[in-house]
Amino acid sequence: CLAISEQRGLLFSGSRDGTVGQWDVHTGRRTATLTGHAGDVACLAISEQRGLLFSGSSDGTVGQWDVRTGQRTATLKGHEGEILSLAISEQRGLLFGGSWDRIIEQWDVQTGQRT
């Protein structure tokens, strides 16, 4: 899975080893590896407005990352199965996640709380 930050010239890739790769789109070089998931990273979504990256994993969590620093800023919970897809509503400030548990969860992007 891939997500791009056009404003920052960065591409992010999810991996089966539980990491997220950060790549410079201009040079094609890997610039960082984000760690913290206990399972495969199956999907990514980015909030350009807030400078946040979200990673969905087979461990049932969503990682929230600060794109500027590469630091994990929160772990969003709510699903009981592997997270398969993520989508962001920039206008509403909401993150949506779909999972094998057949539920769509939503979180407030600012607070990380389920809504």
Side-chain angles (χ1 to χ4, degrees), residues 17-59:
D17 65 1
T19 66
V20 176
Q22 177 182 294
W23 306 82
D24 182 308
V25 297
H26 305 292
T27 66
R29 293 191 176 148
R30 189 178 199 136
T31 56
T33 301
L34 314 179
T35 61
H37 281 295
D40 302 355
V41 175
C43 51
L44 298 168
I46 194 158
S47 170
E48 290 276 23
Q49 289 179 358
R50 292 168 180 83
L52 296 172
L53 173 72
F54 298 91
S55 56
S57 175
S58 63
D59 65 11

